[in-house]
Amino acid sequence: DTILDTRVVVNAFVAKITNAITNVAISSTVSESENVGAARHQGFEIELSRRIVPTLDGGVNFSDLVRVELSGGAVQTDTPGQKLFAYLDWHPLPQLTVVPNVDMESKRWLQNAVNMLEYYRGGSFTLVGLKASYQPVGPVTIELGATNLMDRNYVIEDGYNGPGREYFLNVRVNY
């Protein structure tokens, strides 16, 4: 739907899972994926996007997820409760596009990698990215960019930090 020249998308979901699978500690050093019983996952997403000026578009997406273990007592790990993604899409020239973005994720439950009987709340984090695309001729697009520009240290699973600043160069030919 479009409201006041803004594209609006709203999704809501509820899933009752009768055979939920999650990591369960067998000992302090070993865990395995097990069927732990019933779980309910529910939440919503809201996406807004619009043209700001003739050469600039922007958008934002927010999602909220609640994971509840209904039986079995396991901890639902590795997913944030909330996530926000925002971007601008600027066209300073017809063949050039510049896209900065921000990705924010809230805390999540993590299973300790050293003592798997322990769980803790991992920190929230914000990542900033930038991409420029240039189309010199019709079928050729060259992209140059960077992710995690602030070189933020973040954890999405205990013992595995997310990547630091990364640069990329892509050349795409459509035929």
Side-chain angles (χ1 to χ4, degrees):
D1 250 347
T2 301
I3 301 170
L4 300 173
D5 295 325
T6 301
R7 181 174 177 259
V8 178
V9 178
V10 177
N11 297 303
F13 52 89
V14 175
K16 184 167 185 213
I17 303 162
T18 55
N19 295 306
I21 297 175
T22 193
N23 272 350
V24 174
I26 296 172
S27 71
S28 63
T29 58
V30 177
S31 72
E32 68 180 6
S33 295
E34 288 184 9
N35 179 327
V36 294
R40 183 180 66 243
H41 299 181
Q42 63 188 41
F44 65 91
E45 292 181 320
I46 298 173
E47 178 185 334
L48 306 171
S49 59
R50 69 172 295 142
R51 170 133 310 149
I52 299 167
V53 295
T55 60
L56 182 66
D57 297 332
V60 63
N61 177 291
F62 175 79
S63 59
D64 182 80
L65 173 64
V66 177
R67 297 172 67 194
V68 177
E69 197 66 40
L70 299 174
S71 64
V75 177
Q76 298 282 323
T77 60
D78 303 331
T79 54
Q82 293 82 32
K83 183 172 178 159
L84 178 88
F85 180 80
Y87 70 93
L88 293 172
D89 191 345
W90 180 41
H91 299 274
L93 302 169
Q95 67 273 27
L96 178 65
T97 303
V98 179
V99 182
N101 66 72
V102 175
D103 185 1
M104 301 166 65
E105 295 190 17
S106 70
K107 295 179 179 183
R108 65 188 78 212
W109 282 103
L110 299 172
Q111 184 178 32
N112 188 303
V114 175
N115 182 354
M116 296 188 176
L117 298 170
E118 293 181 12
Y119 294 85
Y120 68 96
R121 295 285 276 172
S124 58
F125 58 86
T126 300
L127 304 177
V128 176
L130 179 65
K131 177 175 79 170
S133 298
Y134 180 67
Q135 192 171 11
V137 293
V140 177
T141 303
I142 301 166
E143 295 179 334
L144 176 67
T147 58
N148 194 4
L149 279 171
M150 311 300 262
D151 202 20
R152 173 92 163 106
N153 187 16
Y154 63 101
V155 176
I156 54 174
E157 186 176 339
D158 191 54
Y160 298 96
N161 289 14
R165 185 180 306 121
E166 294 181 308
Y167 302 96
F168 62 88
L169 171 65
N170 299 319
V171 177
R172 186 172 59 234
V173 179
N174 295 323
Y175 54 93

